[in-house]
Amino acid sequence: MINYRELLGEERALVAPYQPGKPIKEVQRELCIDNVIKLASNENPLGCSDKAILALKEFLPDISRYPIGDSYYLRKKLAEFHNVGMNNILIGAGSDEIIQILYIAFLKESEEVLSPAPSFGEYYLIAKAMKSDCRWIECNDDLSFNFDNILSSITEKSRFIFLANPNNPTGLDFGEQDFIDFMDKVPSTIIVALDEAYKEYQEESRQIDTNRLMRKYKNLISLRTFSKAYGLASMRCGYIIAHEECIAMLNQIRQPFNVNMASQVMAEASLSDGVFLNKVIESNLKGKNFIYRSCEDLRLKYINTEANFIMIEVGDGKKVFDELLKLGVIVRFLGHPKLNSYIRVSIGTDKENSLFIDKLKIVLGL
Ligand SMILES: Cc1ncc(COP(=O)(O)O)c(C=O)c1O
């Protein structure tokens, strides 16, 4: 008789699947409460641009048609936006699909990915799904990346180094000079993937000019997403900026209709709405300062963040996560040994942030 577990193989069968933040509806159903807020998946509390909604409505009559396979118009818009060539861009169904496309194209089973830990779990999970490996390289005690550690961990098996900047879950970023010093030491045959999912939230003076650096380092690639600041998480749309030879090779193995048309038109329209993006960034900054001040009043330590979420030290992180959930506030407990005393909270609307602090006070008895 067929044995599916055996077919998958014991190593892959034992990998714990990705644990997304609990959906609001699930918590409402389980706890039989109506008032639930979700600050668990670094989503955009302001939704998305009205221009994107309008683009979706206008597109609807064409839903029976296949999407534009190479996302031509979205790539054209992005090329203008970033001042790069259209051939430097590939669109995917979120960064997740882009990571998968990269691994299918360039990662052999015998090779491995390196990434500092703690960081975004998908680098590991997708590598495992592809029968390859991802080796986590411990960060410094203050949770900043240890570039020397990463460099000394490189072996002949290393094919990718994934660096989330700002990092999830810490919210920490690194500077351009440190990165250049690092790139100068990385063998040019290893692909360095800068995952810039939260770049829009970073102060402009802290942002690395990745597109300029790419002209010097052919092995440098940048991953971007519409899921965060643009508020299109549900649409699954992200992109990679890289050397045209890299993009051409990825196109060899990309599925012909990998990005649905609704996502393409919404993402394209979002890029024309700078007003909405500024509103998102301002609101995030205001929420961040409110949560910082509230933590200081409550004498709780937190990690300064460059993204749309904050790590707060609360004692027993798992217990506080569970207790907040019972009060209808979904946050995230990461479960990494260095983060046991933390919860990660996504910055929400003013109302959500206040409610979170009120419930946190109840849980901590403050
Ligand atoms: C660092 C990082 N990269 C990528 C993603 C996923 O982005 P996407 O929704 O485009 O797959 C996330 C989502 O939480 C993230 O934290």
Side-chain angles (χ1 to χ4, degrees), residues 228-239:
K228 307 297 176 184
Y230 289 100
L232 295 178
S234 193
M235 299 310 296
R236 314 305 302 127
C237 193
Y239 56 103

Side-chain angles (χ1 to χ4, degrees), residues 94-96 120 123 164 168 195 197-198 225 227-228 236:
S95 312
D96 292 349
F120 185 49
Y123 311 144
N168 174 14
D195 182 346
Y198 301 98
T225 182
S227 296
K228 307 297 176 184
R236 314 305 302 127

Side-chain angles (χ1 to χ4, degrees), residues 291-292 295-296 300-304 310-313 342:
I291 296 177
Y292 280 179
C295 287
E296 283 153 18
L300 294 173
K301 285 195 194 143
Y302 57 84
I303 300 176
N304 280 306
I310 306 179
M311 295 293 284
I312 304 176
E313 212 172 338
Y342 288 89

Side-chain angles (χ1 to χ4, degrees), residues 107-349:
L107 185 66
K108 296 193 180 78
E109 275 183 35
S110 57
E111 294 176 336
E112 65 179 9
V113 178
L114 301 179
S115 182
S119 192
F120 185 49
E122 285 293 86
Y123 311 144
Y124 173 88
L125 291 174
I126 300 173
K128 283 291 182 191
M130 307 291 306
K131 301 186 184 171
S132 297
D133 209 357
C134 172
R135 203 146 45 90
W136 292 119
I137 313 299
E138 280 309 308
C139 286
N140 295 314
D141 285 342
D142 65 0
L143 297 169
S144 60
F145 288 173
N146 187 325
F147 286 117
D148 288 337
N149 248 355
I150 301 171
L151 288 167
S152 62
S153 303
I154 292 172
T155 68
E156 71 286 353
K157 284 178 20 179
S158 309
R159 172 61 53 222
F160 281 94
I161 299 174
F162 265 81
L163 301 173
N165 189 42
N167 189 23
N168 174 14
T170 61
L172 295 171
D173 65 0
F174 51 82
E176 185 163 299
Q177 193 51 52
D178 286 346
F179 183 61
I180 291 173
D181 293 346
F182 173 74
M183 284 304 295
D184 282 337
K185 292 181 195 137
V186 174
S188 62
T189 48
I190 296 179
I191 300 165
V192 177
L194 212 50
D195 182 346
E196 306 186 284
Y198 301 98
K199 188 168 191 162
E200 291 83 0
Y201 295 107
Q202 251 181 322
E203 238 176 68
E204 232 168 272
S205 62
R206 302 178 72 98
Q207 292 178 4
I208 291 181
D209 190 348
T210 325
N211 299 338
R212 178 176 56 81
L213 293 183
M214 255 177 233
R215 288 185 216 126
K216 179 168 175 203
Y217 304 105
K218 190 178 172 186
N219 59 329
L220 172 62
I221 64 178
S222 160
L223 270 60
R224 306 290 298 262
T225 182
F226 286 96
S227 296
K228 307 297 176 184
Y230 289 100
L232 295 178
S234 193
M235 299 310 296
R236 314 305 302 127
C237 193
Y239 56 103
I240 173 175
I241 308 178
H243 191 275
E244 56 256 28
E245 185 186 321
C246 172
I247 299 294
M249 295 307 108
L250 295 177
N251 270 314
Q252 289 293 114
I253 54 101
R254 177 182 61 76
Q255 294 302 306
F257 304 112
N258 64 323
V259 183
N260 75 71
M261 201 62 214
S263 301
Q264 291 183 39
V265 297
M266 290 185 85
E268 192 191 333
S270 298
L271 291 170
S272 303
D273 198 347
V275 175
F276 175 75
L277 190 65
N278 285 339
K279 206 166 101 186
V280 168
I281 293 162
E282 267 170 36
S283 157
N284 190 66
L285 191 61
K286 187 169 167 225
K288 169 163 107 170
N289 288 330
F290 169 78
I291 296 177
Y292 280 179
R293 272 200 319 275
S294 306
C295 287
E296 283 153 18
D297 290 346
L298 300 172
R299 297 187 190 289
L300 294 173
K301 285 195 194 143
Y302 57 84
I303 300 176
N304 280 306
T305 181
E306 297 304 320
N308 65 341
F309 51 86
I310 306 179
M311 295 293 284
I312 304 176
E313 212 172 338
V314 290
D316 185 340
K318 173 76 173 80
K319 194 163 159 228
V320 172
F321 162 82
D322 286 335
E323 294 300 319
L324 280 171
L325 196 61
K326 285 183 203 157
L327 298 178
V329 179
I330 316 170
V331 296
R332 199 69 164 262
F333 172 68
L334 277 306
H336 183 277
K338 279 198 173 122
L339 303 177
N340 280 335
S341 58
Y342 288 89
I343 52 168
R344 192 194 70 193
V345 54
S346 305
I347 298 166
T349 58

